[in-house]
């Protein structure tokens, strides 16, 4: 895991501005990172947060846990992989990476879901999103790569109607990048009626094709009781998406003060999905909810010895929320 000190990061941040730009109205403006941002995110540590999860699946709510990992790293914008020092003509850019991991059980069997998002710190246009879903039936894979003025979608599934897909999608804001953009600067998030590509996890679990959709976005203070976790961080705000089609609402709740720690989220939608020409599930709306319980800053990629398992206890992770 390569992390640069604040004094050395300015050239990489400026290089990030050479990434492909979004059409007008599609991406939030990106301000240069503050000195506060640099001190926090280029200190050689990642930020790890554990969440108590209640996941909607099969017309029921299932217990589990989620982990958000945020860290900066150097990234090759064309090859779209982490830069680790090997000779290359590409100039790396600095990205804020999020890994979102969810583990939950559904009756007898369990799910493991992982999403990775790579967003340039000083430039619009997230470069890459990858999501994998594993359960006892099989696994699926979804990847979005920024290519030219749009995204190249590569998708693989064990479901016959979805099978293998290689599709070009038009440029649009990605729901998955809202998490990283929020951490860079929440006031830069778009509001009002917007076009965006829905989140890869929700789309997979609902068996909905990925394509730009219309949603209404709002950013406001939040005072509800649901996200007052065991680690209170003061005033909260919420970024809310309400999709025009499909009856889905996503709310991300976060601390109003830097570094904008995510207190939790809730994702509400009905259980209906189209698969093999059949409508499965019911119209009952359920809400997936994740509430933060622990946060830890660590150079976790170096903490892989048995003795480092004490850090798992500090973070509160169990694997499936038991």
């Amino acid at each position: 895991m390569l992390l640069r000190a604040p004094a050395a990061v300015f050239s990489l941040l400026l290089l990030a501005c050479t990434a492909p730009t979004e059409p007008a109205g599609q991406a939030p403006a990106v301000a240069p990172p503050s000195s506060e941002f640099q001190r926090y995110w280029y200190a050689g540590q990642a930020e790890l947060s554990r969440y108590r999860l209640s996941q909607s699946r099969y017309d029921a709510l299932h217990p589990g846990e989620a982990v958000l990992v945020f860290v900066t790293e150097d990234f090759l914008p064309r090859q779209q992989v982490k830069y680790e020092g090997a000779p290359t003509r590409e100039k790396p850019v600095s990205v804020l990476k999020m890994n979102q991991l969810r583990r939950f059980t559904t009756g007898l069997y369990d799910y493991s879901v992982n999403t990775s998002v790579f967003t340039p710190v000083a430039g619009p246009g997230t470069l890459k999103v990858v999501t994998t879903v594993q359960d006892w039936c099989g696994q699926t894979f979804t990847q979005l790569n920024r290519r030219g003025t749009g995204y190249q979608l590569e998708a693989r599934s064990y479901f016959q109607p979805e099978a293998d897909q290689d599709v070009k999608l038009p440029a649009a804001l990605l729901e998955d990048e809202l998490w990283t953009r929020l951490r860079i600067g929440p006031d830069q998030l778009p509001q009002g009626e917007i076009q965006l590509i829905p989140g890869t996890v929700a789309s997979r679990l609902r068996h909905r094709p990925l394509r730009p959709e219309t949603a209404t976005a709002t950013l406001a203070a939040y005072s509800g009781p649901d996200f007052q976790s065991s680690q209170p961080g003061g005033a909260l705000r919420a970024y809310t998406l309400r999709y025009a089609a499909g009856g889905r609402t996503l709310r991300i709740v976060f601390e109003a003060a830097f570094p904008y720690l995510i207190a939790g989220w809730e994702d509400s939608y009905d259980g209906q999905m189209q698969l093999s020409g059949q409508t499965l599930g019911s119209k009952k709306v359920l809400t997936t909810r994740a509430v933060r319980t622990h946060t830890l800053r660590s150079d976790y990629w170096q903490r892989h010895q048995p003795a480092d398992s004490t850090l798992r206890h500090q973070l509160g992770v169990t694997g499936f929320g038991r």
Side-chain angles (χ1 to χ4, degrees):
M1 182 71 63
L2 179 63
L3 289 160
R4 296 180 179 269
V9 81
F10 292 105
S11 62
L12 287 177
L13 297 176
L14 293 173
L15 286 167
C17 296
T18 63
T21 57
E22 298 274 6
Q26 293 295 336
V30 178
S34 66
S35 57
E36 185 179 41
F37 181 97
Q38 294 170 43
R39 285 193 300 270
Y40 186 85
W41 289 110
Y42 296 98
Q45 293 184 318
E47 179 197 277
L48 317 172
S49 291
R50 186 262 184 189
Y51 298 78
R52 182 176 64 254
L53 178 67
S54 175
Q55 177 70 48
S56 172
R57 192 74 175 129
Y58 306 122
D59 288 332
L61 294 174
H62 305 277
E65 74 178 359
V67 175
L68 294 188
V69 178
F70 286 96
V71 65
T72 53
E73 63 185 23
D74 296 344
F75 199 73
L76 297 176
R78 292 183 177 82
Q79 193 176 356
Q80 297 192 1
V81 294
K82 177 189 169 190
Y83 174 61
E84 298 186 282
T88 177
R89 293 185 178 182
E90 280 197 74
K91 294 180 179 179
V93 300
S94 179
V95 300
L96 181 62
K97 178 179 71 174
M98 177 192 74
N99 284 333
Q100 183 187 111
L101 302 94
R102 305 189 200 188
R103 307 286 185 267
F104 59 94
T105 58
T106 57
L108 172 62
Y109 66 100
D110 48 64
Y111 274 73
S112 177
V113 182
N114 191 354
T115 297
S116 298
V117 181
F118 304 85
T119 302
V121 169
T126 286
L127 295 173
K128 185 177 182 179
V129 173
V130 184
T131 287
T132 59
V133 179
Q134 299 88 34
D135 64 71
W136 288 13
C137 293
Q139 55 190 303
T140 63
F141 170 86
T142 305
Q143 181 164 303
L144 291 161
N145 292 88
R146 180 75 183 192
R147 302 296 184 198
T149 58
Y151 283 96
Q152 183 65 39
L153 167 65
E154 179 185 355
R156 303 291 181 261
S157 174
Y158 59 86
F159 291 106
Q160 182 181 2
E162 297 169 346
D164 295 346
Q165 303 174 51
D166 292 277
V167 180
K168 183 74 172 180
L169 296 179
L173 184 69
L174 304 176
E175 179 190 306
D176 286 327
E177 72 179 297
L178 296 174
W179 306 78
T180 44
R181 290 196 182 279
L182 185 159
R183 300 307 306 276
I184 294 171
D187 288 321
Q188 300 172 22
L189 293 172
Q191 298 187 61
E193 185 174 292
I194 61 174
Q195 290 285 310
L196 78 168
I197 296 172
T200 47
V201 172
S203 297
R204 272 298 190 189
L205 295 181
R206 303 177 76 198
H207 299 284
R208 292 175 65 93
L210 279 177
R211 58 194 174 203
E213 296 188 21
T214 301
T216 301
T218 57
L219 179 62
Y222 179 86
S223 58
D226 293 330
F227 299 100
Q228 302 297 336
S229 72
S230 60
Q231 293 188 331
L236 299 176
R237 302 175 77 187
Y239 188 71
T240 304
L241 289 177
R242 292 181 174 86
Y243 282 91
R248 178 172 171 241
T249 299
L250 172 68
R251 176 176 290 110
I252 306 172
V253 181
F254 60 96
E255 294 180 5
F258 183 86
Y260 315 119
L261 273 166
I262 293 175
W265 66 91
E266 53 187 17
D267 197 358
S268 302
Y269 49 83
D270 66 38
Q272 285 200 327
M273 48 190 172
Q274 299 291 326
L275 194 61
S276 300
Q278 302 180 55
T279 300
L280 306 176
S282 74
K283 293 183 178 180
K284 180 174 64 173
V285 175
L286 294 175
T287 298
T288 291
R289 182 174 287 107
V291 179
R292 184 169 66 96
T293 62
H294 301 73
T295 293
L296 175 70
R297 294 188 72 197
S298 171
D299 54 347
Y300 70 91
W301 53 93
Q302 298 187 64
R303 308 299 178 184
H304 41 62
Q305 296 301 315
D308 295 320
S309 62
T310 56
L311 294 172
R312 290 185 59 84
H313 297 298
Q314 292 181 35
L315 187 56
V317 289
T318 64
F320 286 91
R322 298 298 187 182

